[in-house]
Short mmCIF file of all heavy atoms in Angstrom, two decimals:
data_model
loop_
_atom_site.label_atom_id
_atom_site.label_comp_id
_atom_site.label_asym_id
_atom_site.label_seq_id
_atom_site.Cartn_x
_atom_site.Cartn_y
_atom_site.Cartn_z
N GLU A 56 18.23 11.30 8.48
CA GLU A 56 18.98 12.51 8.14
C GLU A 56 18.47 13.74 8.88
O GLU A 56 19.23 14.69 9.10
CB GLU A 56 18.92 12.78 6.63
CG GLU A 56 19.76 11.82 5.82
CD GLU A 56 19.73 12.17 4.35
OE1 GLU A 56 19.71 13.38 4.01
OE2 GLU A 56 19.73 11.23 3.53
N VAL A 57 17.21 13.75 9.26
CA VAL A 57 16.66 14.94 9.91
C VAL A 57 16.57 14.82 11.43
O VAL A 57 16.41 15.82 12.12
CB VAL A 57 15.28 15.34 9.35
CG1 VAL A 57 15.39 15.69 7.87
CG2 VAL A 57 14.24 14.27 9.59
N SER A 58 16.67 13.58 11.96
CA SER A 58 16.51 13.43 13.40
C SER A 58 17.13 12.13 13.89
O SER A 58 17.00 11.09 13.24
CB SER A 58 15.02 13.43 13.76
OG SER A 58 14.85 13.20 15.15
N THR A 59 17.79 12.22 15.03
CA THR A 59 18.29 11.00 15.67
C THR A 59 17.29 10.49 16.69
O THR A 59 17.42 9.39 17.20
CB THR A 59 19.64 11.27 16.38
OG1 THR A 59 19.46 12.32 17.34
CG2 THR A 59 20.71 11.64 15.38
N HIS A 60 16.27 11.31 16.99
CA HIS A 60 15.21 10.91 17.91
C HIS A 60 14.16 10.13 17.12
O HIS A 60 13.70 10.57 16.08
CB HIS A 60 14.57 12.15 18.54
CG HIS A 60 13.32 11.84 19.31
ND1 HIS A 60 13.34 11.19 20.51
CD2 HIS A 60 12.02 12.08 19.03
CE1 HIS A 60 12.10 11.05 20.95
NE2 HIS A 60 11.28 11.59 20.06
N THR A 61 13.79 8.97 17.62
CA THR A 61 12.80 8.15 16.93
C THR A 61 11.44 8.35 17.56
O THR A 61 11.17 7.87 18.66
CB THR A 61 13.18 6.66 16.98
OG1 THR A 61 14.47 6.51 16.39
CG2 THR A 61 12.19 5.82 16.22
N ASP A 62 10.59 9.10 16.88
CA ASP A 62 9.19 9.23 17.28
C ASP A 62 8.44 8.22 16.42
O ASP A 62 8.23 8.43 15.23
CB ASP A 62 8.69 10.65 17.01
CG ASP A 62 7.25 10.86 17.44
OD1 ASP A 62 6.43 9.92 17.29
OD2 ASP A 62 6.93 11.96 17.92
N HIS A 63 8.07 7.10 17.01
CA HIS A 63 7.50 5.99 16.25
C HIS A 63 6.24 6.39 15.48
O HIS A 63 6.03 5.92 14.36
CB HIS A 63 7.22 4.80 17.17
CG HIS A 63 8.46 4.23 17.76
ND1 HIS A 63 9.40 3.57 17.01
CD2 HIS A 63 8.95 4.26 19.02
CE1 HIS A 63 10.40 3.19 17.78
NE2 HIS A 63 10.15 3.61 19.01
N ARG A 64 5.44 7.27 16.05
CA ARG A 64 4.24 7.69 15.36
C ARG A 64 4.58 8.41 14.06
O ARG A 64 3.98 8.15 13.02
CB ARG A 64 3.39 8.61 16.25
CG ARG A 64 2.10 9.03 15.57
CD ARG A 64 1.40 10.17 16.32
NE ARG A 64 0.17 10.52 15.67
CZ ARG A 64 0.09 11.24 14.53
NH1 ARG A 64 1.17 11.66 13.93
NH2 ARG A 64 -1.08 11.53 14.01
N GLU A 65 5.54 9.30 14.12
CA GLU A 65 5.90 10.07 12.93
C GLU A 65 6.63 9.20 11.90
O GLU A 65 6.43 9.37 10.70
CB GLU A 65 6.73 11.29 13.31
CG GLU A 65 5.97 12.29 14.17
CD GLU A 65 4.60 12.67 13.60
OE1 GLU A 65 4.46 12.81 12.37
OE2 GLU A 65 3.67 12.82 14.40
N VAL A 66 7.44 8.27 12.37
CA VAL A 66 8.09 7.34 11.44
C VAL A 66 7.03 6.50 10.75
O VAL A 66 7.08 6.29 9.52
CB VAL A 66 9.14 6.47 12.17
CG1 VAL A 66 9.65 5.36 11.26
CG2 VAL A 66 10.30 7.33 12.65
N ASP A 67 6.03 6.01 11.49
CA ASP A 67 4.94 5.26 10.87
C ASP A 67 4.20 6.09 9.83
O ASP A 67 3.88 5.61 8.74
CB ASP A 67 3.95 4.78 11.93
CG ASP A 67 4.46 3.63 12.77
OD1 ASP A 67 5.49 3.02 12.40
OD2 ASP A 67 3.84 3.34 13.80
N ALA A 68 3.93 7.35 10.16
CA ALA A 68 3.25 8.24 9.22
C ALA A 68 4.09 8.44 7.96
O ALA A 68 3.56 8.45 6.84
CB ALA A 68 2.94 9.58 9.88
N LEU A 69 5.39 8.58 8.14
CA LEU A 69 6.29 8.77 7.00
C LEU A 69 6.31 7.54 6.10
O LEU A 69 6.12 7.64 4.89
CB LEU A 69 7.71 9.09 7.49
CG LEU A 69 8.77 9.21 6.39
CD1 LEU A 69 8.47 10.39 5.48
CD2 LEU A 69 10.14 9.33 7.02
N ILE A 70 6.53 6.37 6.67
CA ILE A 70 6.66 5.19 5.82
C ILE A 70 5.32 4.77 5.21
O ILE A 70 5.30 4.12 4.16
CB ILE A 70 7.38 4.02 6.52
CG1 ILE A 70 6.60 3.53 7.72
CG2 ILE A 70 8.80 4.39 6.87
CD1 ILE A 70 7.19 2.29 8.37
N ALA A 71 4.22 5.18 5.81
CA ALA A 71 2.91 4.89 5.21
C ALA A 71 2.75 5.58 3.87
O ALA A 71 1.97 5.13 3.02
CB ALA A 71 1.79 5.29 6.16
N THR A 72 3.50 6.66 3.64
CA THR A 72 3.38 7.35 2.36
C THR A 72 3.84 6.47 1.20
O THR A 72 3.35 6.62 0.09
CB THR A 72 4.17 8.68 2.35
OG1 THR A 72 5.56 8.41 2.50
CG2 THR A 72 3.69 9.61 3.44
N GLY A 73 4.73 5.53 1.47
CA GLY A 73 5.15 4.61 0.42
C GLY A 73 4.00 3.74 -0.06
O GLY A 73 3.81 3.54 -1.26
N GLU A 74 3.20 3.23 0.87
CA GLU A 74 2.03 2.44 0.51
C GLU A 74 0.96 3.31 -0.16
O GLU A 74 0.26 2.86 -1.07
CB GLU A 74 1.43 1.73 1.73
CG GLU A 74 2.21 0.53 2.18
CD GLU A 74 3.28 0.87 3.20
OE1 GLU A 74 3.33 2.03 3.66
OE2 GLU A 74 4.04 -0.04 3.55
N GLN A 75 0.84 4.57 0.28
CA GLN A 75 -0.16 5.45 -0.33
C GLN A 75 0.11 5.63 -1.81
O GLN A 75 -0.82 5.69 -2.61
CB GLN A 75 -0.18 6.80 0.39
CG GLN A 75 -0.74 6.71 1.79
CD GLN A 75 -0.57 8.01 2.57
OE1 GLN A 75 0.07 8.94 2.13
NE2 GLN A 75 -1.15 8.05 3.75
N VAL A 76 1.38 5.71 -2.19
CA VAL A 76 1.74 5.85 -3.60
C VAL A 76 1.28 4.64 -4.39
O VAL A 76 0.61 4.76 -5.42
CB VAL A 76 3.26 6.07 -3.76
CG1 VAL A 76 3.69 5.96 -5.21
CG2 VAL A 76 3.66 7.42 -3.17
N THR A 77 1.62 3.44 -3.91
CA THR A 77 1.29 2.24 -4.69
C THR A 77 -0.21 1.98 -4.75
O THR A 77 -0.72 1.57 -5.79
CB THR A 77 2.03 0.99 -4.15
OG1 THR A 77 1.74 0.82 -2.77
CG2 THR A 77 3.52 1.09 -4.38
N ILE A 78 -0.93 2.24 -3.65
CA ILE A 78 -2.37 1.97 -3.71
C ILE A 78 -3.07 2.94 -4.65
O ILE A 78 -4.00 2.56 -5.37
CB ILE A 78 -3.02 1.95 -2.31
CG1 ILE A 78 -2.91 3.28 -1.59
CG2 ILE A 78 -2.47 0.82 -1.47
CD1 ILE A 78 -3.61 3.34 -0.23
N ALA A 79 -2.63 4.20 -4.68
CA ALA A 79 -3.23 5.17 -5.60
C ALA A 79 -2.89 4.81 -7.05
O ALA A 79 -3.76 4.87 -7.93
CB ALA A 79 -2.76 6.58 -5.27
N LEU A 80 -1.64 4.42 -7.31
CA LEU A 80 -1.26 4.03 -8.67
C LEU A 80 -2.06 2.82 -9.15
O LEU A 80 -2.53 2.79 -10.29
CB LEU A 80 0.24 3.73 -8.74
CG LEU A 80 1.18 4.92 -8.68
CD1 LEU A 80 2.63 4.45 -8.55
CD2 LEU A 80 1.01 5.81 -9.90
#
Side-chain angles (χ1 to χ4, degrees):
E56 287 184 37
V57 298
S58 176
T59 57
H60 170 72
T61 302
D62 182 323
H63 296 291
R64 182 192 181 284
E65 297 309 322
V66 171
D67 286 347
L69 176 64
I70 62 175
T72 64
E74 284 90 6
Q75 290 172 353
V76 169
T77 55
I78 62 176
L80 287 172

